[in-house]
Amino acid sequence: MLRSLSIKNFALIEQLQVSFDAGLITITGETGAGKSLLLGALGLLLGKRADLSSIKDSANKCSIEGVFDIEKYNLIPFFEDEDLDYESETIIRREILPSGKSRAFINDTPVTLSSLNKLGLKLIDIHSQHQTLEVTTNDFQFEVLDALSETDREIQSYKRGLSLLKTKEKEERLLLDSQQELTKEHDYNSFLLNELLEAKLQSGELAQLEERYETLINIEEIQERLSGSVSLVSSEEVGISDLLNTLKANLSKIAPFSGKLKELSDRVHSVYIELEDVNESLQNELESLDADPEQLEEVSNRLQIIHNLQTKHTVSSVEELISIKEELEEKVSKTESLSDDIKEIQKEIETIKSQLDEVAIKIHKKRTKALPRLVSELEDILKSLGMSNATFKTSLKLQEKYLSNGKEELEFLFSANKGGAYGVLKKVASGGELSRIMIAIKAILSRYTQLPTIIFDEIDTGVSGEIAHKMADLMMTMSKNLQVFSITHLPQIAANGQSQYKVFKEDVNDTTVTRLKLLNEEDRIREIAEMIGGKQISDSALTHAKSLLHN
């Protein structure tokens, strides 16, 4: 419920601070006095967009703050989802700066207008004669029916199941699409994979093959040069080995004479040993070489296979070909296993549907039982509001399709006159009739669920006499379970409020401002008398006003 409202620098309101109690609160005042400004300020507080025209003094910011008691509204999950601090007494503030920039806060935490609007819908429900089309929507009609049928637990279970069903159906579609796409490529992928498998590729083999090929293709030149190298080293006439041996012998004889000579002798000795080792390796390499045309052809063919595969797959290494082979293996395997995956998920979908059908039937049974009661209560309330011939014709049919709140189609037809044709509400009900239907529905809902604060904005337009009394009684009954505001021109409703406020204008320093005043008993009598008889208050009007107030 709305505990207090503070408004600064908004339209004709310079500064306003007001507190509210529970129950029925009536707001009265002449036409044009500024009642709409209060609704405008509340609208901004609850997330509506603002502009600079909302600011009274363009040099200062406009500020609107409301304190709400939300303990009974079960809003902790909302605060957790929005990452906000929960307080049973929550403060909402909206600021419009002179620059036109708007800021919003919930318990001093900055929030977006979207978050503010979500919370606002849970805190205050504003109804005017021009805002009653909601009652004509199927979603709202189901909401009312479900409040009476107490299907909340089943509907939450159904919604969880429906969410899971949609997830699984999406997975099925993706698998079917993948299967269709992969099936097109399956044969080609299998062919490419077989080629790569038959090639029996090994990491690093390309470099080895290329080296072997270069050796075999140039074997005669290699043999010739290796043979010449061996001759240079070991020739008996002028071989490098003999010459180096002579040099080694010469230096070894003078090595003892100095350290430098000893170092030179050792170095030559090392070179001689290395040369002997090289010569041995040259001879071994020469002996191992043998022209082999068959091996050359074999290596050449192997290289050709690898190069052809590299060209086909636009890669430059065997490692990349091996990676492609692994990818193809995965694709081919996935294609072959997709059928099993699809069968498995289809089985899951059928199980979920079966469970959803069970819950939907439970919901249907509860709704079917509650629907006649809803119609009966609505017709009874409407009769008391002067619509004695108003009747409804309803039907609730199970469908095959899974809808957001069950598997039913609700038909909610209305006739205002005896023998009149039934039709959907938005086509056959007038604005005044819709207003009364809405207030009747809210009165029923208030008995079955915790509603937010309701503000009726002149929803009683066109009502008078005994019907006005009935409407006032209805609002009083509702106010036992929730906070109800009624902006009204009817003295019967004004008098029924546990508290009454008057909106009026006054001139202050050549400036017109809007005020909101809590009326005491004497003020209320005069205000109600004026609503009955006009500005010239008569004794009979005062008497009537006292009677209404004390009745």
Side-chain angles (χ1 to χ4, degrees):
M1 61 177 280
L2 178 60
R3 282 292 185 190
S4 66
L5 181 66
S6 171
I7 305 172
K8 294 179 182 178
N9 197 31
F10 175 74
L12 293 179
I13 300 174
E14 193 173 84
Q15 183 162 339
L16 184 151
Q17 176 72 46
V18 60
S19 298
F20 300 109
D21 292 323
L24 175 60
I25 299 156
T26 57
I27 299 176
T28 58
E30 296 178 4
T31 300
K35 297 186 292 293
S36 62
L37 294 182
L38 290 175
L39 293 180
L42 275 173
L44 288 176
L45 187 64
L46 301 176
K48 287 189 176 179
R49 298 207 168 271
D51 55 49
L52 281 172
S53 63
S54 302
I55 300 179
K56 177 177 174 60
D57 180 357
S58 59
N60 296 305
K61 73 177 179 182
C62 163
S63 174
I64 303 164
E65 183 174 287
V67 179
F68 294 84
D69 181 349
I70 63 171
E71 189 172 3
K72 296 180 181 179
Y73 291 175
N74 191 29
L75 290 178
I76 292 177
F78 170 85
F79 278 77
E80 289 175 347
D81 290 344
E82 297 291 326
D83 195 24
L84 295 168
D85 292 331
Y86 174 82
E87 298 287 347
S88 59
E89 189 169 86
T90 282
I91 301 172
I92 299 177
R93 188 170 78 257
R94 183 80 181 276
E95 296 177 351
I96 305 163
L97 305 179
S99 62
K101 184 178 179 181
S102 168
R103 299 187 301 192
F105 303 85
I106 297 175
N107 292 331
D108 283 330
T109 299
V111 295
T112 64
L113 282 190
S114 174
S115 294
L116 190 62
N117 189 254
K118 286 179 192 175
L119 180 59
L121 292 173
K122 301 173 187 296
L123 298 181
I124 291 186
D125 188 5
I126 299 176
H127 289 282
S128 72
Q129 195 171 32
H130 307 293
Q131 294 172 312
T132 52
L133 286 179
E134 182 187 25
V135 75
T136 69
T137 66
N138 217 226
D139 286 344
F140 181 77
Q141 292 160 4
F142 267 120
E143 183 184 328
V144 177
L145 178 57
D146 287 333
L148 269 70
S149 56
E150 297 180 345
T151 54
D152 184 65
R153 188 171 62 180
E154 288 83 1
I155 287 174
Q156 292 307 315
S157 172
Y158 176 88
K159 286 182 175 179
R160 286 193 298 271
L162 183 61
S163 176
L164 182 59
L165 175 63
K166 289 179 178 177
T167 299
K168 292 297 179 182
E169 286 179 335
K170 184 178 179 180
E171 289 176 14
E172 181 194 24
R173 284 195 301 274
L174 291 173
L175 285 174
L176 289 170
D177 290 345
S178 296
Q179 185 185 49
Q180 186 177 6
E181 192 65 32
L182 289 172
T183 300
K184 293 177 186 175
E185 302 174 356
H186 181 64
D187 292 341
Y188 183 55
N189 286 339
S190 297
F191 170 73
L192 292 177
L193 177 59
N194 287 332
E195 270 189 332
L196 291 168
L197 289 172
E198 287 171 4
K200 296 180 180 177
L201 300 167
Q202 294 181 4
S203 180
E205 73 167 311
L206 182 59
Q208 296 173 357
L209 286 168
E210 287 175 339
E211 182 180 313
R212 186 62 182 153
Y213 178 79
E214 289 299 320
T215 300
L216 290 169
I217 200 72
N218 297 293
I219 194 162
E220 290 181 0
E221 181 181 354
I222 294 169
Q223 286 173 329
E224 182 182 339
R225 293 192 178 278
L226 281 175
S227 179
S229 298
V230 170
S231 295
L232 283 171
V233 174
S234 55
S235 171
E236 292 182 2
E237 296 179 2
V238 287
I240 297 171
S241 181
D242 284 344
L243 291 172
L244 192 58
N245 190 40
T246 302
L247 175 62
K248 179 172 73 76
N250 286 339
L251 288 175
S252 66
K253 290 178 180 179
I254 62 174
F257 300 149
S258 74
K260 287 186 178 179
L261 290 174
K262 176 70 169 61
E263 183 184 347
L264 286 171
S265 175
D266 290 344
R267 287 171 66 187
V268 170
H269 183 71
S270 296
V271 171
Y272 177 78
I273 292 171
E274 180 66 20
L275 180 62
E276 287 298 304
D277 188 57
V278 168
N279 188 40
E280 185 180 352
S281 297
L282 288 171
Q283 288 176 345
N284 290 339
E285 187 67 24
L286 181 59
E287 289 170 6
S288 70
L289 290 175
D290 191 16
D292 190 344
E294 289 184 5
Q295 191 182 28
L296 175 61
E297 184 178 1
E298 183 183 320
V299 171
S300 179
N301 290 340
R302 180 66 175 164
L303 282 170
Q304 191 60 52
I305 289 171
I306 292 174
H307 289 149
N308 287 343
L309 289 171
Q310 286 176 328
T311 302
K312 177 178 282 191
H313 293 283
T314 322
V315 295
S316 58
S317 71
V318 170
E319 287 71 25
E320 288 174 294
L321 288 174
I322 292 172
S323 178
I324 290 171
K325 177 188 68 104
E326 291 170 352
E327 289 175 9
L328 287 168
E329 283 176 330
E330 188 177 342
K331 284 183 179 180
V332 170
S333 173
K334 188 175 181 181
T335 305
E336 292 169 353
S337 66
L338 267 178
S339 295
D340 292 338
D341 293 341
I342 290 169
K343 286 178 184 175
E344 184 63 31
I345 204 164
Q346 286 174 340
K347 192 185 296 182
E348 290 181 37
I349 287 171
E350 288 308 310
T351 301
I352 295 168
K353 283 184 175 179
S354 176
Q355 293 169 344
L356 273 176
D357 289 342
E358 288 181 16
V359 178
I361 288 171
K362 289 180 182 177
I363 293 170
H364 178 64
K365 286 179 178 178
K366 283 192 169 186
R367 285 172 171 171
T368 301
K369 185 178 178 181
L371 189 55
R373 181 156 48 96
L374 171 61
V375 170
S376 175
E377 290 187 24
L378 263 179
E379 290 176 350
D380 286 346
I381 293 173
L382 290 177
K383 282 181 176 62
S384 72
L385 295 180
M387 296 172 63
S388 56
N389 295 318
T391 53
F392 294 89
K393 183 192 288 185
T394 61
S395 67
L396 196 62
K397 297 176 183 176
L398 277 170
Q399 307 292 309
E400 288 299 317
K401 187 177 179 182
Y402 295 98
L403 304 172
S404 62
N405 60 351
K407 293 185 67 176
E408 295 147 294
E409 182 181 90
L410 173 63
E411 193 174 55
F412 208 82
L413 305 179
F414 173 72
S415 174
N417 305 303
K418 242 179 202 178
Y422 287 90
V424 293
L425 279 172
K426 63 182 175 184
K427 291 185 178 179
V428 300
S430 67
E433 289 166 344
L434 283 177
S435 295
R436 296 187 207 184
I437 292 170
M438 175 59 89
I439 194 173
I441 285 175
K442 291 295 182 180
I444 294 170
L445 277 176
S446 69
R447 299 203 299 269
Y448 295 95
T449 187
Q450 180 61 55
L451 293 176
T453 292
I454 290 182
I455 298 177
F456 291 116
D457 177 23
E458 299 185 2
I459 200 169
D460 47 31
T461 300
V463 173
S464 59
E466 185 58 28
I467 305 304
H469 281 291
K470 295 291 185 183
M471 190 170 280
D473 290 341
L474 197 59
M475 289 184 183
M476 273 294 294
T477 301
M478 291 174 66
S479 71
K480 293 175 183 177
N481 300 315
L482 70 151
Q483 187 183 43
V484 179
F485 285 83
S486 179
I487 298 173
T488 182
H489 289 291
L490 292 180
Q492 295 93 330
I493 292 176
N496 257 32
Q498 279 102 319
S499 54
Q500 181 179 345
Y501 293 81
K502 180 177 181 177
V503 180
F504 60 96
K505 288 179 181 178
E506 68 176 2
D507 295 333
V508 179
N509 298 327
D510 297 325
T511 302
T512 301
V513 295
T514 291
R515 306 285 196 198
L516 181 66
K517 178 184 178 183
L518 175 62
L519 302 182
N520 58 31
E521 185 173 354
E522 185 179 343
D523 292 332
R524 289 188 74 178
I525 292 171
R526 294 193 64 80
E527 175 71 6
I528 293 167
E530 190 174 313
M531 293 171 76
I532 294 170
K535 289 286 187 183
Q536 301 299 319
I537 300 175
S538 63
D539 290 340
S540 61
L542 286 170
T543 302
H544 190 186
K546 289 177 184 177
S547 172
L548 286 174
L549 196 58
H550 297 142
N551 196 358

